[in-house]
Amino acid sequence: MLIRFAANKRGGSMTRIAWRISAFAVALILCVGSAMAQQVRPAGKIIARDSQGHAIRQVHANGIDIGYKLVGSGPPLVMIMGLGGTIEHWQPQIVAALAKKYQLIMPDNRGMGHTSANATTFTYRLFADDVIGLLDALDVEKTHVLGYSMGSTMTQELLLTYPQRFDKAIVHATTTDGSNVAAALKGKTIPDPIVARQVEATTHWKTPMDRIAAVTNPVMFVVGTADTVVYPESSKVLAAAIAGAWLVQFKNATHELMYETPTGFARIVLTFLGTDETVKATQPPPMLQKGGNSARP
């Protein structure tokens, strides 16, 4: 009786310990989930509103005033526009689709829209520091990132310089050599001095291929097969250099791909962001198991 009682008492104690561990694990999961779902709190003063009523704010960071807006809810996704563009140039259908699952952080690049500029020479490192300055002002430690055209090259710089600040990256219509982009604009008049400074910075961009292979962030390259501004070759080369990178090519699409097929573009972005690419193989498939015989009689 004493032995049986002791055993039962020990079993009850172990059960209680196991229950407490399970309860702690559930609470931890709920806390982590809550932290991941926590919304980015806006910072800075409201200076305007867009056509949908979203507040456009400014924060002072990296020596300038950076204009931005927050749209949607969910994990953060910072969206970086291309050369000569502002936050209002993002395709509305894409913004609406992504905002259903992510909180979009949409800044204006240096000197464009609601963001100021100073005399500092434009470089892609400077542009990347602007993005980090905004994320710091918003207390965002880590986020997904989507960059288009010039914004895609900024995304390359962010992954090279600040990889720990980003999770997944969508690099849309990018290049390994900015002088090719400048060549595509040759002969065109650029009346806006800020855009001219952006073009000048672009002419000096060369992807450091010796460093790009060290990128461990999940990355997806998206490009149109008929893109005659950056051409698809750069995306192919970069996708081959980064382990596990996705490469998505839209047939016959140009540099305006996301405007030509907003539904298709939004779908592939959501698919990439929503896919868990880490697979832990527990055992080989049946046909490869030791001693297996897949031959038919």
Side-chain angles (χ1 to χ4, degrees):
M1 285 290 294
L2 290 176
I3 295 175
R4 290 175 59 189
F5 176 77
N8 288 339
K9 185 176 181 181
R10 182 181 178 188
S13 177
M14 293 299 290
T15 299
R16 286 194 295 273
I17 292 173
W19 182 87
R20 288 172 182 169
I21 292 174
S22 298
F24 175 76
V26 170
L28 182 62
I29 291 172
L30 289 175
C31 288
V32 172
S34 176
M36 291 179 65
Q38 186 175 357
Q39 295 295 284
V40 176
R41 298 181 63 180
K45 61 183 179 181
I46 297 176
I47 59 169
R49 291 190 179 273
D50 68 10
S51 58
Q52 286 77 45
H54 299 114
I56 298 175
R57 292 178 165 84
Q58 266 186 349
V59 295
H60 189 76
N62 202 30
I64 58 173
D65 294 318
I66 299 177
Y68 75 97
K69 65 180 179 181
L70 301 175
V71 181
S73 61
L77 167 62
V78 60
M79 298 173 63
I80 309 174
M81 178 43 67
L83 190 148
T86 71
I87 51 179
E88 297 308 316
H89 286 102
W90 285 105
Q91 212 283 342
Q93 191 174 338
I94 292 173
V95 173
L98 298 183
K100 291 178 181 178
K101 291 193 174 183
Y102 298 91
Q103 186 176 21
L104 311 182
I105 304 171
M106 307 175 68
D108 275 327
N109 292 326
R110 177 173 287 245
M112 300 302 300
H114 300 281
T115 297
S116 65
N118 52 29
T120 304
T121 301
F122 281 10
T123 66
Y124 277 93
R125 177 59 187 270
L126 181 68
F127 296 154
D129 289 344
D130 290 342
V131 175
I132 295 299
L134 173 61
L135 296 180
D136 287 345
L138 295 174
D139 291 325
V140 175
E141 294 183 3
K142 199 167 190 176
T143 176
H144 299 305
V145 57
L146 162 60
Y148 166 59
S149 195
M150 188 183 85
S152 74
T153 315
M154 291 168 62
T155 301
Q156 289 187 50
E157 181 64 54
L158 287 166
L159 293 177
L160 290 166
T161 310
Y162 302 101
Q164 73 282 2
R165 301 296 298 270
F166 299 94
D167 188 358
K168 293 193 171 188
I170 299 97
V171 182
H172 172 34
T174 200
T175 184
T176 58
D177 187 345
S179 63
N180 294 332
V181 177
L185 298 174
K186 188 175 181 179
K188 295 183 179 180
T189 302
I190 303 176
D192 188 330
I194 293 295
V195 177
R197 292 173 69 183
Q198 290 180 341
V199 173
E200 177 61 24
T202 299
T203 63
H204 299 291
W205 172 260
K206 297 284 191 299
T207 300
M209 296 304 298
D210 58 329
R211 294 172 54 206
I212 203 71
V215 170
T216 58
N217 304 71
V219 183
M220 177 174 69
F221 295 91
V222 184
V223 69
T225 60
D227 189 330
T228 57
V229 176
V230 296
Y231 297 94
E233 283 67 30
S234 288
S235 294
K236 294 178 183 178
V237 168
L238 291 168
I242 299 175
W246 292 26
L247 172 63
V248 178
Q249 300 180 77
F250 282 78
K251 293 180 180 178
N252 301 321
T254 71
H255 199 65
E256 308 296 319
L257 184 158
M258 70 173 178
Y259 303 99
E260 296 165 342
T261 174
T263 300
F265 183 82
R267 183 182 295 118
I268 196 61
V269 170
L270 290 171
T271 298
F272 173 66
L273 292 178
T275 300
D276 181 359
E277 301 170 64
T278 304
V279 178
K280 184 177 180 180
T282 56
Q283 61 181 11
M287 71 287 293
L288 298 180
Q289 290 181 16
K290 187 175 181 180
N293 186 359
S294 60
R296 293 178 180 271

